Amino acid sequence: MDWLQVWVLALVQGLTEFLPISSAAHLILVPVLTAWEDQGLAFDVAIHVGTLVAIVAYFRHEVAVVTRAWVRQVGGNGATPESMLAWAVIFGTLPAALAGLIFAGVIEAHLRSPLVIATTTIGFALLLWLADWRGRGSRDEFGIRWRDILIVGGAQALALIPGTSRSGITMTAALLLGFSRRAAARYSFLLAIPIIALAGGYQTLQLVQAPPDTVNWLQIGIGAIVSGVAAWLSVHWFLKLIERIGMLPFVVYRLILGIILLWIFL
C-alpha cells in the first residue's frame, strides 16, 4: 500500500463516517474505482479506531454526564433525562448488533456490489430529503422516549446494507419522529460510539485469528491519526452548519453519486 492510498482511505473514512453519505460505501468504492490492492484488515481497524477516538473526544462532556447519570440511576437514585439518553444509546445499539451477528455473512457475500450501493444511495437519499422536508421538529435528544429508541435503533440496523449510511438512516428516523436537525445528529453521533466500538472489536478479533502478516506500523499510525482528525472536523462543522444548510446538500451529493455509479456499472 502506497502513501497516497493511506491518505485517501483515511480521509475518506474520517470525513464520511459521521456524514449522511455512507462511509462503508465509499471505502468499498474507492478500491473498485482506483484498482488499488486491498488495504488489509489492520489498516481498516486503525482508521475505525481513529474515528472512534475522535467522536468520544468530541462528545467527552456528554459521555461523562450521561454515564454518571446512568450509574446513579442503576444505583437507585432515580431516572433523569441524562440517564434516559444513556439507555437510549445502549438499547438503540442492540438491533444493529444483533442484525450484524445474524446477517453479516449474507451481506458480505451478496450486498457489497456497486449496483446495490447505487440503489441504496439514491433510495435513502430521497427518504432523507423527505424526512428533512416534513420533519423540522423541535424535540431534543434528552426528551427521547422508548418508542423513539425502538424506531431509531431498528433504522440503524438497516445501515448494515452498504450505501444506506448509519448516520443518514438514524438521522432520517429521528427527523421523522420530530427531533430537530441538531438533536437528530447528536443522538446519531452518540449511537455511533458503541457501534463503532463493536465493529472495531469484531475486526480486531478477525485480525488476531488471521495468519500473521507484515504490518507497516507507520502507515497504520498515520492512517488512524488522519481519520481521527478528519472525523473530528467533520462532526464539528456538520453540527455548526446543519440548522442552516439542512440535509439537501447531502441528498444532492448522494443522488449524483448514485447516478454516476449506475452509469458506470450498468
Side-chain angles (χ1 to χ4, degrees), residues 222-235:
I222 294 296
I225 293 169
V226 171
S227 67
V229 171
W232 195 96
L233 292 172
S234 175
V235 169

Side-chain angles (χ1 to χ4, degrees), residues 53-72 80-90 140-142 182-183 185-194 232 235-236 239:
V53 171
I55 198 67
V56 172
Y58 194 89
F59 285 101
R60 60 192 181 280
H61 174 70
E62 289 85 349
V63 170
V65 168
V66 300
T67 300
R68 284 197 297 268
W70 180 80
V71 170
R72 286 197 294 268
T80 65
E82 291 78 12
S83 66
M84 186 60 186
L85 183 56
W87 286 116
V89 172
I90 294 169
D140 69 21
E141 66 270 28
F142 291 102
R182 185 175 177 84
R186 288 173 64 85
Y187 179 43
S188 173
F189 294 156
L190 289 172
L191 272 177
I193 294 173
W232 195 96
V235 169
H236 178 72
L239 289 173

Side-chain angles (χ1 to χ4, degrees), residues 5-18:
Q5 187 176 359
V6 170
W7 280 86
V8 169
L9 291 177
L11 284 171
V12 166
Q13 168 65 21
L15 292 174
T16 61
E17 177 65 45
F18 302 109

Side-chain angles (χ1 to χ4, degrees), residues 8-157:
V8 169
L9 291 177
L11 284 171
V12 166
Q13 168 65 21
L15 292 174
T16 61
E17 177 65 45
F18 302 109
L19 297 182
I21 56 176
S22 181
S23 63
H26 285 76
L27 287 174
I28 291 169
L29 290 170
V30 168
V32 171
L33 297 175
T34 60
W36 281 336
E37 64 178 12
D38 184 82
Q39 63 269 18
L41 189 56
F43 188 79
D44 284 345
V45 171
I47 57 178
H48 277 86
V49 168
T51 54
L52 177 62
V53 171
I55 198 67
V56 172
Y58 194 89
F59 285 101
R60 60 192 181 280
H61 174 70
E62 289 85 349
V63 170
V65 168
V66 300
T67 300
R68 284 197 297 268
W70 180 80
V71 170
R72 286 197 294 268
Q73 183 186 355
V74 171
N77 287 342
T80 65
E82 291 78 12
S83 66
M84 186 60 186
L85 183 56
W87 286 116
V89 172
I90 294 169
F91 283 101
T93 301
L94 293 180
L98 292 173
L101 288 173
I102 296 169
F103 299 111
V106 175
I107 292 167
E108 187 72 26
H110 302 291
L111 297 180
R112 291 175 67 86
S113 74
L115 290 181
V116 169
I117 294 171
T119 302
T120 53
T121 296
I122 293 172
F124 286 110
L126 295 174
L127 187 59
L128 177 61
W129 171 78
L130 177 65
D132 194 43
W133 176 65
R134 289 191 55 190
R136 310 218 177 163
S138 58
R139 298 177 60 198
D140 69 21
E141 66 270 28
F142 291 102
I144 198 164
R145 300 187 290 261
W146 286 108
R147 173 175 170 269
D148 306 323
I149 298 168
L150 179 64
I151 293 172
V152 177
Q156 183 170 233

Side-chain angles (χ1 to χ4, degrees), residues 234-251:
S234 175
V235 169
H236 178 72
W237 286 107
F238 184 82
L239 289 173
K240 284 181 71 71
L241 296 174
I242 188 60
E243 292 291 357
R244 229 176 343 164
I245 66 173
M247 298 294 180
L248 185 58
F250 305 101
V251 171

